[in-house]
Amino acid sequence: MKKINGGVTAAKGFKAAGIYAGIKKKKKDMALVYSAVPATVAGTFTTNVVKAAPVKWCQKVIKESETANAVVLNSGVANACTGMEGDKNNLLMAKAVAEYLNISENTVLTASTGVIGKQLPIDVIVHGIKNIIPDLKDSIEAGTMAAEAIMTTDTYLKQWAVEFELNGKTVTIGGMSKGSGMIHPNMATMLGVITTDAAISKELLSDAIRNDVKDSFNMISVDRDTSTNDSLIILANGLAGNEIINQKNEDYKIFCKALNKVTTELAKMMAADGEGATKLLEVQVTGTVTKEDAVMLSKSIITSNLVKSAVFGNDANWGRILCAMGYSGIEFNPDTVDLFIESETGKLQLVKDGMGTDYSEELATRILSSKEVKAIADVKLGDGKATAWGCDLTYDYVKINADYRS
Amino acid sequence: MKKINGGVTAAKGFKAAGIYAGIKKKKKDMALVYSAVPATVAGTFTTNVVKAAPVKWCQKVIKESETANAVVLNSGVANACTGMEGDKNNLLMAKAVAEYLNISENTVLTASTGVIGKQLPIDVIVHGIKNIIPDLKDSIEAGTMAAEAIMTTDTYLKQWAVEFELNGKTVTIGGMSKGSGMIHPNMATMLGVITTDAAISKELLSDAIRNDVKDSFNMISVDRDTSTNDSLIILANGLAGNEIINQKNEDYKIFCKALNKVTTELAKMMAADGEGATKLLEVQVTGTVTKEDAVMLSKSIITSNLVKSAVFGNDANWGRILCAMGYSGIEFNPDTVDLFIESETGKLQLVKDGMGTDYSEELATRILSSKEVKAIADVKLGDGKATAWGCDLTYDYVKINADYRS
């Protein structure tokens, strides 16, 4: 497997575009991803009871159709809490794409992100769809423009792609996502589109993505707020020409591994670019009885405002990490916990068997001053382990969210 | 029932003191509460798996003894994650009080708050105990000094007292608490001591306090971080001379109502004085199927960083409130939710049946600019209701916690 340039247009047969339609002020705000060849489709969506109109639509399409051809996305307005008018506008968005591409509206997925509670400016969007069609291209640049168009408070675009071999055929998986705030995915991420030219059955594509998010998107948190719009969509058009993956064989494993590389890199970029964040915090928890215990412990640490503030201040305030583990709901013995911090500057043990070591505060601060820092907690009970990603809590997070709408 | 001045010394027979012992820099850091008459004792403590030494000690004392005479408290060091040396130091603290007051160490409760992972400066503390004994007084001022001595990042001291009649006898309940950060109590608050001269059996005192915290301290949150040291202790010395309450009769109900007034006022003060907070946010959720549903929904709103940031910015970003309700884990129909905001400036309906009303943003901002603001959500399913209290998320919260230890 090797990393290659690009995102949603990296795989064969996928075109994309990103344009400024006029929903936001002077920033790209609409994206389209398209495969002329019908692509097997799967997705995972928010577990929030309050679901945006496009989420409900995608769930219906994916349930009823084997394949899809297009994903249309807008930023600026989330089309959530918009009632029947929201559903109607969402359908108009899908229909406009279907009409211009001469496909069925039931093969067009939709995704929206932005302010909750506002209706989509549907005329602007339909006009935008008309304008975006001629821009559809299979170039890396076209994929990049799409990734840019789905950004909200993100400070950089997120895309990643890998290439690997399946029985002599080159297969590609690429994806784009956006994150920044209201990021605590539960079954999916804010918005993500993955494209691949692999040939794979719908059942296995669905299994693959559902399993994958448990270790990738569902392991990141910016602010513990699970959005109303979380959507992760994967399209597989089979153009790589590999023998179709329809059982959980070696090919499936290779596919899942490559998929996980793309999703994990996108997820880490989202965590690192959390609203106001100055650094990426990776938390590894090992030695738990079950993997689920490690997941709960690592997520409890990554979501603690006190831990996140201490990381912002480069303060090795390890008591807060043990405290966050303690209220995670998982049973463990505090008196056997070991805790380390690590970055490019080095690695340091802060806690041995539940008590502070005689570590150098000065070295600890230097380690924590890196752009990417790790905390590693070993509870020494078993073989369970998990990794979660988050970011620090900063003045800018508060600033961004105290005047998001203005 | 009427509010009276004072806190832990308001009830008959309780003395207190607060002094500077030398644990912190130039600020009062030790408090003692004392009843010469043995007082029936009950308490609730943190559910965090990581429990501070004084928490473990208090749980043991309360389990084994019917009564207690004293509570000694220190701020500056939490005596959490301190291993066997921590337990030993905690016992030395109780023993020193017992020796000077000529009582059994098994009637002395302990409580600590401050940095996790540091050992208590036990010589300083024992010396402090020697110095604090002569200061013990039953005056309001003495109780106030004790309330001051348990503060950490609190900006004002918290005490409250009420007086009421039980069959012609005047009964008093008073209390003090401290909060500020790492506040998301689960069975109790950071530190709280309630004293009363009511005569009440241990079983009913225990029931009363356990039930009470569900509506008071357990309904507040500053940062979703449940501390390692949460302790709420109640002492009832019977000096009011009322007929002992040993069944759940009318007297018990009156007692519980008065207790709830004291605990709720203390809890609200803690929420309003959350680290960095500029305002108190009260969230009422009504119309749920069960009370538990209302509790979960109101706590989900009160703990959302996005809601808290919006409140700081006086931004009526109601989508975030619905979003937080949606990920609470409680089932409801988003399309029937009504949402209001209210303060001394007025009341305004933001959402009707799940969609935004045509409200005035300018009025909404004025309402949210008050020091105390309410959000009221009605899900229109049943009779369940609950109220939770929290605060806004501000630059100062981040600042305080990015350099707490320095």
Side-chain angles (χ1 to χ4, degrees), chain A residues 225-299:
Chain A
D225 280 273
T226 301
S227 150
T228 49
N229 287 53
D230 288 349
S231 302
L232 178 65
I233 294 162
I234 183 163
L235 297 170
N237 66 9
L239 289 182
N242 62 300
E243 195 181 330
I244 186 164
I245 304 171
N246 52 22
Q247 48 182 311
K248 292 193 176 171
N249 54 16
E250 196 54 34
D251 283 4
Y252 179 74
K253 282 186 201 154
I254 295 171
F255 176 82
C256 287
K257 200 176 157 197
L259 176 63
N260 187 252
K261 183 66 185 166
V262 174
T263 54
T264 304
E265 291 299 333
L266 289 173
K268 284 169 70 174
M269 277 193 271
M270 285 168 61
D273 193 28
E275 280 177 341
T278 70
K279 63 185 83 171
L280 173 69
L281 173 62
E282 177 172 316
V283 172
Q284 296 175 0
V285 172
T286 61
T288 54
V289 177
T290 64
K291 182 183 168 170
E292 287 64 38
D293 286 3
V295 167
M296 296 287 279
L297 286 164
S298 58
K299 288 183 97 165

Side-chain angles (χ1 to χ4, degrees), chain B residues 48-367:
Chain B
N48 198 310
V49 170
V50 180
K51 288 185 198 341
V55 166
K56 290 183 278 177
W57 170 255
C58 286
Q59 287 179 319
K60 180 175 173 289
V61 168
I62 291 176
K63 194 174 162 197
E64 294 173 1
S65 314
E66 198 69 23
T67 60
N69 291 87
V71 187
V72 58
L73 312 95
N74 77 275
S75 55
V77 178
N79 198 7
C81 301
T82 46
M84 279 163 55
E85 192 180 340
D87 293 330
K88 204 183 107 203
N89 286 337
N90 179 75
L91 187 59
L92 289 172
M93 192 166 156
K95 277 189 170 171
V97 173
E99 189 185 326
Y100 288 114
L101 289 173
N102 201 22
I103 54 179
S104 159
E105 71 209 33
N106 294 318
T107 71
V108 180
L109 299 161
T110 55
S112 300
T113 176
V115 180
I116 298 174
K118 266 181 73 175
Q119 296 293 346
L120 287 180
I122 190 63
D123 293 345
V124 172
I125 284 178
V126 169
H127 193 257
I129 290 168
K130 187 181 165 190
N131 288 338
I132 202 170
I133 303 286
D135 282 6
L136 280 172
K137 289 197 181 62
D138 61 6
S139 64
I140 288 176
E141 291 67 31
T144 304
M145 304 264 259
E148 193 188 327
I150 60 172
M151 290 164 63
T152 50
T153 49
D154 303 66
T155 67
Y156 50 81
L157 64 90
K158 283 120 193 141
Q159 59 181 359
W160 196 272
V162 296
E163 201 178 85
F164 56 102
E165 301 277 312
L166 277 186
N167 291 319
K169 301 288 184 184
T170 300
V171 179
T172 301
I173 302 179
M176 65 178 185
S177 67
K178 59 85 53 186
S180 230
M182 212 178 260
I183 296 295
H184 184 77
N186 199 349
M187 284 315 288
T189 174
M190 187 72 176
L191 289 190
V193 178
I194 315 275
T195 57
T196 176
D197 43 24
I200 180 167
S201 72
K202 182 167 175 180
E203 190 190 337
L204 289 194
L205 188 66
S206 191
D207 278 6
I209 196 74
R210 246 182 290 219
N211 241 320
D212 182 84
V213 295
K214 289 183 201 158
D215 293 315
S216 58
F217 292 114
N218 285 4
M219 291 305 288
I220 64 169
S221 184
V222 169
D223 50 16
R224 261 203 276 218
D225 280 272
T226 302
S227 150
T228 50
N229 286 52
D230 288 349
S231 301
L232 177 67
I233 294 162
I234 181 161
L235 297 170
N237 65 9
L239 288 181
N242 62 301
E243 194 182 331
I244 186 164
I245 304 170
N246 52 21
Q247 46 181 310
K248 292 192 175 172
N249 53 17
E250 196 55 33
D251 284 3
Y252 178 74
K253 281 186 201 154
I254 296 171
F255 176 83
C256 287
K257 199 176 158 193
L259 176 63
N260 188 252
K261 182 68 186 164
V262 174
T263 54
T264 302
E265 290 299 334
L266 289 173
K268 283 169 69 173
M269 277 193 271
M270 285 169 59
D273 192 28
E275 280 177 341
T278 69
K279 64 185 84 170
L280 173 69
L281 173 63
E282 177 173 316
V283 172
Q284 295 175 3
V285 173
T286 62
T288 54
V289 177
T290 66
K291 183 184 168 169
E292 286 65 39
D293 285 3
V295 167
M296 295 287 279
L297 285 165
S298 57
K299 289 183 96 165
S300 189
I301 297 168
I302 215 84
T303 53
S304 160
N305 279 353
L306 288 170
V307 171
K308 290 153 65 81
S309 299
V311 169
F312 172 54
N314 302 322
D315 180 9
N317 199 329
W318 58 264
R320 293 179 179 171
I321 294 180
L322 262 71
C323 178
M325 293 170 72
Y327 62 69
S328 66
I330 302 303
E331 283 297 322
F332 64 95
N333 180 359
D335 298 334
T336 64
V337 176
D338 287 353
L339 181 69
F340 304 81
I341 53 172
E342 186 177 9
S343 74
E344 57 190 2
T345 311
K347 187 171 177 176
L348 186 63
Q349 180 161 13
L350 303 182
V351 175
K352 187 169 163 47
D353 293 329
M355 286 175 62
T357 60
D358 196 21
Y359 65 88
S360 150
E361 288 283 355
E362 188 263 336
L363 176 57
T365 296
R366 268 198 291 133
I367 289 173

Side-chain angles (χ1 to χ4, degrees), chain A residues 372-393:
Chain A
E372 297 193 7
V373 300
K374 263 185 220 176
I376 304 150
D378 187 355
V379 300
K380 296 188 277 187
L381 287 173
D383 295 328
K385 63 180 176 177
T387 303
W389 296 275
C391 57
D392 48 351
L393 176 63

